[in-house]
Amino acid sequence: MKIAIAADHGGYGLKQALMAYYHNKNQDIKLEDLGTYSEESCDYPDVVKPVVAEVLNKQCDFGILICGTGVGISIAANRYKGIRAALVYNEFVAQVVKEHNNANILVFGGRTMTLEEVVRYIEIFNATSFEGGRHNRRIEKLDKI
Ligand code: RB5
């Protein structure tokens, strides 16, 4: 499985921790690091584009974006048609954003979440299937907005 990942400076530390975790402990999941590459301050609207492009071009299974809270980078990613970026903040949400929203980007807060929590949310998301049916109809409506 390939996951495209990017963060601003507020999410840089958590991104690096996830990169190390999957490199060392779970070789089945490959993270592609699309920036930012240091703790130097940068603007979250600027860092979403490479992940959005990979998701929309189906070059990865899904994307991960991280800023300080997860809020700014969610807003930025959801400006792009076809993107369903979900800020996941507990285990129930990790499940339902796949079942109902078929999220194609998971968003986390680098200043509000731990590595262990985020790894668990990714595991739950990966173990869950999209339910389709009425949820497909709702997603199609999103793309018409
Ligand atoms: C950066 O300081 C911070 O504002 C950003 O990472 C994010 O939390 C915005 O929503």
Side-chain angles (χ1 to χ4, degrees), residues 122-144:
I122 294 168
E123 275 171 10
I124 292 169
F125 182 79
N126 277 337
T128 305
S129 300
F130 177 49
E131 285 180 0
R134 69 189 187 281
H135 302 297
N136 236 343
R137 182 182 72 236
R138 291 165 186 167
I139 285 173
E140 282 167 13
K141 286 186 179 184
L142 286 177
D143 289 333
K144 290 190 184 128

mmCIF file of all heavy atoms in Angstrom, residues 122-144:
data_model
loop_
_atom_site.group_PDB
_atom_site.id
_atom_site.type_symbol
_atom_site.label_atom_id
_atom_site.label_comp_id
_atom_site.label_asym_id
_atom_site.label_seq_id
_atom_site.Cartn_x
_atom_site.Cartn_y
_atom_site.Cartn_z
ATOM 1 N N ILE A 122 -5.074 4.949 11.498
ATOM 2 C CA ILE A 122 -4.752 4.454 10.143
ATOM 3 C C ILE A 122 -5.088 2.965 10.043
ATOM 4 O O ILE A 122 -5.656 2.513 9.041
ATOM 5 C CB ILE A 122 -3.265 4.728 9.809
ATOM 6 C CG1 ILE A 122 -3.023 6.236 9.715
ATOM 7 C CG2 ILE A 122 -2.852 4.029 8.515
ATOM 8 C CD1 ILE A 122 -1.547 6.642 9.673
ATOM 9 N N GLU A 123 -4.791 2.200 11.077
ATOM 10 C CA GLU A 123 -5.113 0.751 11.083
ATOM 11 C C GLU A 123 -6.614 0.545 10.934
ATOM 12 O O GLU A 123 -7.065 -0.307 10.157
ATOM 13 C CB GLU A 123 -4.709 0.131 12.424
ATOM 14 C CG GLU A 123 -3.264 -0.286 12.518
ATOM 15 C CD GLU A 123 -2.902 -0.692 13.955
ATOM 16 O OE1 GLU A 123 -3.796 -0.825 14.821
ATOM 17 O OE2 GLU A 123 -1.705 -0.854 14.183
ATOM 18 N N ILE A 124 -7.390 1.305 11.685
ATOM 19 C CA ILE A 124 -8.853 1.157 11.635
ATOM 20 C C ILE A 124 -9.376 1.536 10.253
ATOM 21 O O ILE A 124 -10.190 0.823 9.661
ATOM 22 C CB ILE A 124 -9.525 2.009 12.741
ATOM 23 C CG1 ILE A 124 -9.183 1.428 14.112
ATOM 24 C CG2 ILE A 124 -11.029 2.108 12.534
ATOM 25 C CD1 ILE A 124 -9.560 2.314 15.283
ATOM 26 N N PHE A 125 -8.902 2.646 9.728
ATOM 27 C CA PHE A 125 -9.326 3.099 8.389
ATOM 28 C C PHE A 125 -9.031 2.016 7.355
ATOM 29 O O PHE A 125 -9.881 1.683 6.512
ATOM 30 C CB PHE A 125 -8.591 4.402 8.060
ATOM 31 C CG PHE A 125 -8.969 4.999 6.736
ATOM 32 C CD1 PHE A 125 -10.145 5.717 6.584
ATOM 33 C CD2 PHE A 125 -8.132 4.856 5.631
ATOM 34 C CE1 PHE A 125 -10.491 6.275 5.354
ATOM 35 C CE2 PHE A 125 -8.471 5.406 4.400
ATOM 36 C CZ PHE A 125 -9.649 6.117 4.265
ATOM 37 N N ASN A 126 -7.846 1.427 7.422
ATOM 38 C CA ASN A 126 -7.442 0.398 6.458
ATOM 39 C C ASN A 126 -8.237 -0.889 6.604
ATOM 40 O O ASN A 126 -8.379 -1.630 5.638
ATOM 41 C CB ASN A 126 -5.947 0.073 6.621
ATOM 42 C CG ASN A 126 -5.084 1.068 5.887
ATOM 43 O OD1 ASN A 126 -5.541 1.710 4.946
ATOM 44 N ND2 ASN A 126 -3.845 1.190 6.315
ATOM 45 N N ALA A 127 -8.737 -1.145 7.788
ATOM 46 C CA ALA A 127 -9.471 -2.391 8.032
ATOM 47 C C ALA A 127 -10.968 -2.237 7.747
ATOM 48 O O ALA A 127 -11.736 -3.176 7.937
ATOM 49 C CB ALA A 127 -9.273 -2.823 9.485
ATOM 50 N N THR A 128 -11.385 -1.076 7.296
ATOM 51 C CA THR A 128 -12.808 -0.762 7.106
ATOM 52 C C THR A 128 -13.097 -0.605 5.614
ATOM 53 O O THR A 128 -12.222 -0.211 4.847
ATOM 54 C CB THR A 128 -13.143 0.549 7.852
ATOM 55 O OG1 THR A 128 -12.756 0.395 9.223
ATOM 56 C CG2 THR A 128 -14.614 0.883 7.788
ATOM 57 N N SER A 129 -14.335 -0.921 5.215
ATOM 58 C CA SER A 129 -14.732 -0.769 3.807
ATOM 59 C C SER A 129 -15.802 0.312 3.665
ATOM 60 O O SER A 129 -16.616 0.512 4.568
ATOM 61 C CB SER A 129 -15.321 -2.084 3.278
ATOM 62 O OG SER A 129 -14.369 -3.105 3.374
ATOM 63 N N PHE A 130 -15.798 0.937 2.503
ATOM 64 C CA PHE A 130 -16.848 1.908 2.159
ATOM 65 C C PHE A 130 -18.168 1.150 1.987
ATOM 66 O O PHE A 130 -18.209 0.107 1.341
ATOM 67 C CB PHE A 130 -16.460 2.635 0.871
ATOM 68 C CG PHE A 130 -17.486 3.602 0.360
ATOM 69 C CD1 PHE A 130 -18.064 4.552 1.191
ATOM 70 C CD2 PHE A 130 -17.867 3.568 -0.980
ATOM 71 C CE1 PHE A 130 -19.008 5.444 0.715
ATOM 72 C CE2 PHE A 130 -18.810 4.463 -1.469
ATOM 73 C CZ PHE A 130 -19.381 5.403 -0.625
ATOM 74 N N GLU A 131 -19.244 1.698 2.550
ATOM 75 C CA GLU A 131 -20.537 1.005 2.507
ATOM 76 C C GLU A 131 -21.301 1.226 1.212
ATOM 77 O O GLU A 131 -22.221 0.481 0.902
ATOM 78 C CB GLU A 131 -21.420 1.452 3.685
ATOM 79 C CG GLU A 131 -20.997 0.850 5.008
ATOM 80 C CD GLU A 131 -21.886 1.301 6.165
ATOM 81 O OE1 GLU A 131 -22.836 2.086 5.954
ATOM 82 O OE2 GLU A 131 -21.597 0.870 7.288
ATOM 83 N N GLY A 132 -20.951 2.270 0.445
ATOM 84 C CA GLY A 132 -21.665 2.529 -0.815
ATOM 85 C C GLY A 132 -23.119 2.893 -0.555
ATOM 86 O O GLY A 132 -23.453 3.518 0.452
ATOM 87 N N GLY A 133 -24.002 2.495 -1.486
ATOM 88 C CA GLY A 133 -25.443 2.742 -1.331
ATOM 89 C C GLY A 133 -25.751 4.224 -1.184
ATOM 90 O O GLY A 133 -25.308 5.046 -1.981
ATOM 91 N N ARG A 134 -26.488 4.569 -0.145
ATOM 92 C CA ARG A 134 -26.907 5.969 0.046
ATOM 93 C C ARG A 134 -25.695 6.893 0.206
ATOM 94 O O ARG A 134 -25.769 8.087 -0.119
ATOM 95 C CB ARG A 134 -27.838 6.087 1.253
ATOM 96 C CG ARG A 134 -27.180 5.857 2.601
ATOM 97 C CD ARG A 134 -28.215 5.763 3.719
ATOM 98 N NE ARG A 134 -27.619 5.709 5.044
ATOM 99 C CZ ARG A 134 -27.092 4.608 5.584
ATOM 100 N NH1 ARG A 134 -27.057 3.480 4.898
ATOM 101 N NH2 ARG A 134 -26.575 4.625 6.806
ATOM 102 N N HIS A 135 -24.587 6.344 0.674
ATOM 103 C CA HIS A 135 -23.398 7.180 0.864
ATOM 104 C C HIS A 135 -22.779 7.565 -0.480
ATOM 105 O O HIS A 135 -22.221 8.653 -0.622
ATOM 106 C CB HIS A 135 -22.389 6.465 1.754
ATOM 107 C CG HIS A 135 -22.962 6.110 3.089
ATOM 108 N ND1 HIS A 135 -23.390 7.066 3.978
ATOM 109 C CD2 HIS A 135 -23.233 4.909 3.655
ATOM 110 C CE1 HIS A 135 -23.884 6.472 5.054
ATOM 111 N NE2 HIS A 135 -23.805 5.160 4.880
ATOM 112 N N ASN A 136 -22.916 6.683 -1.464
ATOM 113 C CA ASN A 136 -22.448 7.009 -2.814
ATOM 114 C C ASN A 136 -23.226 8.189 -3.372
ATOM 115 O O ASN A 136 -22.648 9.107 -3.974
ATOM 116 C CB ASN A 136 -22.664 5.801 -3.725
ATOM 117 C CG ASN A 136 -21.393 5.378 -4.386
ATOM 118 O OD1 ASN A 136 -20.418 6.131 -4.438
ATOM 119 N ND2 ASN A 136 -21.384 4.176 -4.895
ATOM 120 N N ARG A 137 -24.530 8.172 -3.177
ATOM 121 C CA ARG A 137 -25.381 9.265 -3.657
ATOM 122 C C ARG A 137 -24.936 10.585 -3.026
ATOM 123 O O ARG A 137 -24.821 11.607 -3.711
ATOM 124 C CB ARG A 137 -26.834 8.956 -3.279
ATOM 125 C CG ARG A 137 -27.839 9.986 -3.748
ATOM 126 C CD ARG A 137 -29.243 9.657 -3.296
ATOM 127 N NE ARG A 137 -29.439 9.856 -1.860
ATOM 128 C CZ ARG A 137 -29.873 8.914 -1.023
ATOM 129 N NH1 ARG A 137 -30.166 7.710 -1.474
ATOM 130 N NH2 ARG A 137 -30.026 9.168 0.266
ATOM 131 N N ARG A 138 -24.608 10.555 -1.749
ATOM 132 C CA ARG A 138 -24.211 11.789 -1.049
ATOM 133 C C ARG A 138 -22.859 12.288 -1.551
ATOM 134 O O ARG A 138 -22.642 13.495 -1.710
ATOM 135 C CB ARG A 138 -24.191 11.520 0.461
ATOM 136 C CG ARG A 138 -25.599 11.310 0.992
ATOM 137 C CD ARG A 138 -25.655 10.694 2.358
ATOM 138 N NE ARG A 138 -27.047 10.391 2.721
ATOM 139 C CZ ARG A 138 -27.401 9.635 3.736
ATOM 140 N NH1 ARG A 138 -26.487 9.087 4.523
ATOM 141 N NH2 ARG A 138 -28.675 9.415 3.993
ATOM 142 N N ILE A 139 -21.963 11.353 -1.806
ATOM 143 C CA ILE A 139 -20.645 11.748 -2.318
ATOM 144 C C ILE A 139 -20.770 12.350 -3.715
ATOM 145 O O ILE A 139 -20.115 13.341 -4.051
ATOM 146 C CB ILE A 139 -19.694 10.528 -2.289
ATOM 147 C CG1 ILE A 139 -19.280 10.273 -0.840
ATOM 148 C CG2 ILE A 139 -18.482 10.741 -3.180
ATOM 149 C CD1 ILE A 139 -18.486 9.015 -0.628
ATOM 150 N N GLU A 140 -21.652 11.766 -4.536
ATOM 151 C CA GLU A 140 -21.856 12.315 -5.882
ATOM 152 C C GLU A 140 -22.381 13.749 -5.786
ATOM 153 O O GLU A 140 -22.011 14.612 -6.585
ATOM 154 C CB GLU A 140 -22.828 11.426 -6.670
ATOM 155 C CG GLU A 140 -22.141 10.172 -7.192
ATOM 156 C CD GLU A 140 -23.107 9.098 -7.700
ATOM 157 O OE1 GLU A 140 -24.303 9.407 -7.887
ATOM 158 O OE2 GLU A 140 -22.644 7.972 -7.875
ATOM 159 N N LYS A 141 -23.238 14.014 -4.791
ATOM 160 C CA LYS A 141 -23.746 15.378 -4.608
ATOM 161 C C LYS A 141 -22.629 16.343 -4.246
ATOM 162 O O LYS A 141 -22.640 17.510 -4.634
ATOM 163 C CB LYS A 141 -24.846 15.396 -3.528
ATOM 164 C CG LYS A 141 -26.148 14.796 -4.016
ATOM 165 C CD LYS A 141 -27.277 14.946 -3.005
ATOM 166 C CE LYS A 141 -28.555 14.333 -3.577
ATOM 167 N NZ LYS A 141 -29.703 14.527 -2.681
ATOM 168 N N LEU A 142 -21.653 15.856 -3.457
ATOM 169 C CA LEU A 142 -20.519 16.728 -3.094
ATOM 170 C C LEU A 142 -19.808 17.235 -4.331
ATOM 171 O O LEU A 142 -19.415 18.400 -4.415
ATOM 172 C CB LEU A 142 -19.504 15.939 -2.257
ATOM 173 C CG LEU A 142 -19.833 15.600 -0.815
ATOM 174 C CD1 LEU A 142 -18.717 14.759 -0.214
ATOM 175 C CD2 LEU A 142 -20.023 16.873 -0.015
ATOM 176 N N ASP A 143 -19.619 16.328 -5.299
ATOM 177 C CA ASP A 143 -18.860 16.706 -6.485
ATOM 178 C C ASP A 143 -19.629 17.643 -7.397
ATOM 179 O O ASP A 143 -19.067 18.216 -8.330
ATOM 180 C CB ASP A 143 -18.414 15.444 -7.248
ATOM 181 C CG ASP A 143 -17.323 14.701 -6.473
ATOM 182 O OD1 ASP A 143 -16.588 15.362 -5.714
ATOM 183 O OD2 ASP A 143 -17.223 13.473 -6.618
ATOM 184 N N LYS A 144 -20.909 17.822 -7.105
ATOM 185 C CA LYS A 144 -21.713 18.755 -7.926
ATOM 186 C C LYS A 144 -21.778 20.144 -7.283
ATOM 187 O O LYS A 144 -22.315 21.076 -7.861
ATOM 188 C CB LYS A 144 -23.118 18.203 -8.117
ATOM 189 C CG LYS A 144 -23.120 16.973 -9.022
ATOM 190 C CD LYS A 144 -24.530 16.563 -9.412
ATOM 191 C CE LYS A 144 -24.478 15.280 -10.215
ATOM 192 N NZ LYS A 144 -25.353 14.232 -9.699
#
